[in-house]
Amino acid sequence: MKESFEDKKYAPVGVFDSGVGGLTVAREIMRQLPKESIIYFGDTARVPYGSKSKETIIRYSRQIIHFLESMGVKAIVVACNTASAFALEEIRPEMKMPIIGVVKPGAKVAAETTRNGRIGVIGTEGTVGSQIYSEMVHRHNPNAVVLGKACPLFVPLVEEGWLKDSVTIEVARRYLASFQESGIDTLILGCTHYPLLRSTIRDIMGDGVNLVNPAYETAQGLKRLLGQYRIANDGKGPSTSAGYQFYVSDAAEKFKNFANSILPCEIKKAQLIHIEE
């Protein structure tokens, strides 16, 4: 099976998220795998995913994967914790190409690096309610205690660009208060929006709590996956520089402006597509 993928070495990697949060994953892929091209889809018309049903998330994910497949990608990164929690295992058997989510890489690192076995997870209502991080952590560290906290306001605050706003800081203090007395030494940022609030979360939780960024770990996992399938771009193909394409289901200009505020390169355009058609 792996051999049949080798002709896809120079094809792009598909990345998708409910909105702009997955750009933190794209950013890590750009940094860690600079020879890879990326086609990113942000489902900005239907964000947030965290409050929607499992069935709806699976339907959305199938639509987006179909779009990315039509664009000729060689692998897919589900850069959304909610979609990784609800849809990935359901869809994986249907896939003909490698696919990776953001939950497993972050959970593995948290399980392996905790010193006292007490791990916190913050995420959307869907991700925290699914208990997926707890399940994944326990695969690697059965004795770990995993405490979850849904932080639904973080996504709209990040999407609004209020990263350092006093309102955001106050909301974060309220959400994280229970963790400050819980004795955790590791906190998983279980939503791809949350690394953009890392400094605020760090200030509140203190240096004694290790913050696990699944975006970073997912890029590492993608690197291993592409190597396993022998489809990592060696930079010797028809194009010597990685290309990045961005597609959204709504608010293209707002998305482009936000992307340019956090990505290491400037994007000229985010193309609007009607994903349900």
Side-chain angles (χ1 to χ4, degrees), residues 76-184:
I76 289 178
V77 178
V78 185
C80 172
N81 282 267
T82 306
S84 294
F86 285 167
L88 184 56
E89 295 310 312
E90 184 91 15
I91 287 172
R92 192 188 299 277
E94 307 166 8
M95 298 293 297
K96 296 179 181 178
M97 68 178 69
I99 185 169
I100 184 173
V102 288
V103 171
K104 191 179 293 184
K108 182 175 185 291
V109 166
E112 292 173 350
T113 58
T114 180
R115 301 177 303 280
N116 68 5
R118 297 182 67 81
I119 298 169
V121 180
I122 52 176
T124 65
E125 293 171 2
T127 298
V128 172
S130 74
Q131 297 287 309
I132 186 71
Y133 269 105
S134 181
E135 179 186 329
M136 292 293 179
V137 165
H138 287 141
R139 289 185 188 181
H140 300 283
N141 187 339
N143 297 319
V145 175
V146 182
L147 307 172
K149 176 70 177 177
C151 303
L153 291 177
F154 278 173
V155 169
L157 288 168
V158 168
E159 301 247 343
E160 198 61 39
W162 292 9
L163 304 184
K164 303 283 188 181
D165 193 273
S166 60
V167 171
T168 305
I169 294 168
E170 177 58 27
V171 167
R173 286 191 196 284
R174 292 197 186 192
Y175 279 150
L176 299 172
S178 60
F179 281 133
Q180 291 177 295
E181 306 298 326
S182 67
I184 62 167

Side-chain angles (χ1 to χ4, degrees), residues 102-275:
V102 288
V103 171
K104 191 179 293 184
K108 182 175 185 291
V109 166
E112 292 173 350
T113 58
T114 180
R115 301 177 303 280
N116 68 5
R118 297 182 67 81
I119 298 169
V121 180
I122 52 176
T124 65
E125 293 171 2
T127 298
V128 172
S130 74
Q131 297 287 309
I132 186 71
Y133 269 105
S134 181
E135 179 186 329
M136 292 293 179
V137 165
H138 287 141
R139 289 185 188 181
H140 300 283
N141 187 339
N143 297 319
V145 175
V146 182
L147 307 172
K149 176 70 177 177
C151 303
L153 291 177
F154 278 173
V155 169
L157 288 168
V158 168
E159 301 247 343
E160 198 61 39
W162 292 9
L163 304 184
K164 303 283 188 181
D165 193 273
S166 60
V167 171
T168 305
I169 294 168
E170 177 58 27
V171 167
R173 286 191 196 284
R174 292 197 186 192
Y175 279 150
L176 299 172
S178 60
F179 281 133
Q180 291 177 295
E181 306 298 326
S182 67
I184 62 167
D185 73 351
T186 302
L187 179 61
I188 300 172
L189 307 181
C191 173
T192 49
H193 287 71
Y194 296 3
L196 298 171
L197 300 174
R198 184 187 183 96
S199 62
T200 297
I201 295 168
R202 158 72 61 233
D203 289 344
I204 294 169
M205 295 305 300
D207 293 335
V209 175
N210 177 42
L211 302 184
V212 174
N213 178 4
Y216 176 88
E217 306 303 338
T218 300
Q220 289 285 307
L222 176 63
K223 182 185 290 187
R224 290 190 292 271
L225 190 66
L226 297 180
Q228 175 189 343
Y229 280 83
R230 298 203 284 273
I231 53 174
N233 192 330
D234 56 15
K236 299 176 182 176
S239 175
T240 55
S241 61
Y244 306 126
Q245 300 176 53
F246 297 87
Y247 296 85
V248 294
S249 51
D250 194 21
E253 192 66 20
K254 184 177 179 182
F255 175 92
K256 185 191 80 169
N257 293 337
F258 190 94
N260 282 328
S261 74
I262 68 165
L263 293 180
C265 63
E266 182 183 3
I267 73 167
K268 305 289 189 193
K269 178 183 179 185
Q271 188 168 329
L272 188 66
I273 67 160
H274 301 290
I275 193 68

